[in-house]
Amino acid sequence: MRPVQISRRRLLGSSLLTAAAAVTFPGLGWGRQYGQGGGVPWSPGVADEPYYGTEPLEFFSAAERRAADAITARLIPSDESGPGAREADVVTFLDRQLAGFYGRAQRWYMSGPFPEPLETQGYQAPQTPAQLWRAGLAALDDHCRETHDGREFAELSEDEQDAVLTGLDEEEIEFDGVSAKQFFDFAREMTIEGFFCDPVYGGNRDMLGWRYVGFPGARYDYRDFLAHNGARVDIPPVSLFGRPEWTR
Amino acid sequence: MVERKRPVDVVLVGFGWTAAIMAQELTEEGLEVLALERGGWRDTGTDFPTTHAPDELRYYWRHAMFQETARETQTFRNRRGQTALPIRRWGSYLPGVGVGGAGVHWNGQTFRFLPSDFVAKTHNEERYGELPEEMTVQDYGVTYEELEPHFDRFEKLCGISGKAGNLQGRIVQGGNPFEGFRSDEYPNPPMEMTFSQHRFEAAANGMDLHPFPAPSANMSRAYTNPLGVQMAPCTYCGFCEKFGCGNFSKASPQTTIIPVLMNKPNFHLRTHCEVMQVLKDRSGERARGVLYLDAHGKLWEQPAEIVILCGYQLSNTRLMMLSGIGEIYDPQTGDGLVGKNYTYQVMSGVDIFFEEEYTNEFIGAGALGMVVDDYNGDNFDHSGLGFIGGAYIACWTTNQRPIESHPVPEGTPEWGLEWKRAVQRNFLKHTSLSVHGASMAHRDNYLDLDPTYTDQWGRPLMRMTYDFTENDRRLSDYITPIAEEIARNMGGREIGVTRRADDAYDIWPYQTTHNTGGTIMGETPDDSVVNRYLQSWDLPNLFIMGAGVFPQNAGYNPTDTVAALTYWSAQAIREQYLRDPGPLVQA
């Protein structure tokens, strides 16, 4: 068999792409040579900080932010058992994620064609997450205005909101140009991320999500608790930021 | 023009577990060894210290340690006749990238395959009669007895924590009585078990099964390995799989070999260098080196006397296809071998929810578990069952990272108030059993090149055609109920069952990163891509490491066997090939 040839034209384009990636991800850097007796390259006190997701960029317009916040508040509602996604500021998490590399699907294979997939073929939407949210939120508000006397999603009652979200989830409501089900699934997935991620990413404010379920967060030593034998291990959470008490 | 680099003795493609082992072994022989890694340099202190390592979003959900599908992915379909589509977001498996490879983000579950797994065809046919024609199962061409010293070396390199069940043929209480003989005890004692494992052990004993502590690459105590590299005791932080260990407590290339390797004058590593092709010499009968692309987008030729593919199984197989070495498998004619016998793992799971007791599963480690092996391999009589192979059943407590793991009982809504309350109620009161099943080769499960989708260089993506088989379904139907019975006997309020093989294989839900086959090993060039020493039948100075050489997959995690095969191959290179650099097995 003959080897597959590499396209020269694509190769030329690729070096630009790599350069752009290096600028976007400062941790990536250029290729380097190591070894030849030089030992492990390491400097004390230097570590890569979690740099992504925390960009102070904004993705949502005011209307989009209202709708997105209202969706998260129904997916993980607040009640007497504890706070929900709104209190945990999940919408800020969404805003930062969608403004960053994740929103751009920068690491995903996004080339077409995009035929109708099998159920077993995973995520096949032609939109990036940012495009999916933008189109989905607009379509959601359009749908609500048409069906609810001109009111947008955030202006509906909680019961009305739940009915609309159920319609998306169960594929009873469809949008033009974007899959309503795909949008709903993505909204649900990212709301859970924003409720349970480390607070460095803008969600899970005050570690509310972790406190709600009893997760102690970014700890790394539980040896003292191994012999719990079925009794509750109840220790306060700590974030990559530390704990509020540490800085008071 | 492609410029040439200065020739080296050995070029390693990729720099994970198998490359680190090969580099260590071949530099000892005085050879000049170069590793080309497409990802970046990574070490514990800088890249995943304890202050940053426990970041679920960054490492798992934003894939900080995994390949980018934008750079390399596969297309997937269940069967011929369907249109394969690219995997845009990883789901079912998570290939690694960067120094250390997937050896940085593995759990550390370190099992040896059974002696009968290496002779799956002859063993099963002798005992049960001829296998169905479409089951393209074959022997490895190497035996457990031959590999035993190499398993032992890897386990000592890693400081595996465990309990031997078969010491030189003597069955030892508390270990796995079904395992192949061990020349020596594990280098470290088992990990400290928690509530869930105690319940599992009692339930399994009550059913006359043989529970044993899982062999673990998480350190049960401080350890200095034979190369003099030190590791620290595991702290049970629950961030192993999908994460780097910030604590030097999980065996990885970084914590076992790389510190030694980096001090050797005859080893060097170039990062952000992606190998595009293995180059043949004019005769077409030897490899002359590799073609690679550096971070500036410049192509280089790297000449080498020996080329060793040390990438992940999927990457190695595709590189063979793109390099035009050997013939790509065609299921309709049965011709060709590259891409043949792609196999995976047949998984099912049982969730257990307790009412009173707390499992506190955030206190966990990647390989913290109790296991029964009574229904693995051919440890039980398969007469009349209609399948071969088996599965271990384990109670692992690996984590309770909340984005990934917030299980609720069946019938709970998927969002809203009722869901939220169910998450809270069960979060600290849940454990699960894993049924980790073998995957037997089938004529229609294979890899080839996609006709439509290409990578950024215009080269075809590799296409995966895969679905669960009748053997898989019968295996899962037989063994999952045994796990359910153990689960019911553990004293919880209720259980829930997930069986992957009940439906078509789905590329989205995570199952395992145990992709195997595609560059299979065997006894003749008619049935395999590499010989018993992992040497290419086509180009004798080309060797292929990794689980791609498994002709079919056993009911265990593959790393221990991958590593043992690497040591075995390295020994053959050192003791035989260097003296006479030709085929180690005459065709």
Side-chain angles (χ1 to χ4, degrees), chain B residues 274-472:
Chain B
E274 175 144 4
V275 172
M276 309 295 276
Q277 193 180 317
V278 176
L279 301 167
K280 294 183 224 179
D281 72 2
R282 277 210 189 85
S283 71
E285 287 168 6
R286 288 183 75 81
R288 71 166 198 263
V290 298
L291 185 71
Y292 77 88
L293 193 64
D294 71 12
H296 301 267
K298 183 172 165 52
L299 275 177
W300 296 92
E301 179 182 334
Q302 176 60 61
E305 290 298 319
I306 302 176
V307 176
I308 309 182
L309 304 191
C310 296
Y312 191 59
Q313 168 265 355
L314 296 164
S315 301
N316 288 349
T317 305
R318 180 165 178 252
L319 189 58
M320 290 291 284
M321 292 177 179
L322 295 178
S323 303
I325 302 168
E327 195 184 336
I328 298 175
Y329 174 68
D330 178 347
Q332 283 174 290
T333 61
D335 295 337
L337 289 160
V338 181
K340 191 182 179 187
N341 283 20
Y342 172 74
T343 50
Y344 191 49
Q345 209 85 74
V346 180
M347 307 292 286
S348 54
V350 185
D351 288 305
I352 303 144
F353 299 96
F354 288 90
E355 184 63 35
E356 302 296 329
E357 300 90 340
Y358 289 83
T359 55
N360 303 304
E361 293 227 313
F362 56 82
I363 303 168
L368 171 63
M370 287 294 286
V371 186
V372 295
D373 226 9
D374 299 60
Y375 290 92
N376 211 340
D378 200 33
N379 296 342
F380 59 108
D381 187 0
H382 289 68
S383 301
L385 296 180
F387 71 92
I388 60 166
Y392 70 65
I393 303 169
C395 178
W396 300 112
T397 295
T398 63
N399 83 94
Q400 188 80 24
R401 301 182 294 265
I403 303 174
E404 176 179 1
S405 183
H406 48 261
V408 289
E410 278 169 43
T412 308
E414 291 188 343
W415 54 276
L417 214 45
E418 210 182 315
W419 172 81
K420 178 189 150 187
R421 287 176 177 160
V423 168
Q424 185 190 39
R425 180 180 178 203
N426 294 292
F427 189 79
L428 300 175
K429 297 186 168 185
H430 162 267
T431 191
S432 60
L433 305 189
S434 172
V435 179
H436 190 276
S439 173
M440 292 300 158
H442 190 281
R443 189 173 54 199
D444 295 333
N445 287 333
Y446 66 103
L447 305 167
D448 66 354
L449 291 175
D450 192 87
T452 306
Y453 294 94
T454 58
D455 67 12
Q456 56 184 325
W457 327 118
R459 306 179 307 164
L461 297 181
M462 191 163 67
R463 174 169 67 180
M464 175 186 295
T465 303
Y466 181 74
D467 204 353
F468 294 118
T469 64
E470 198 52 39
N471 194 80
D472 298 340

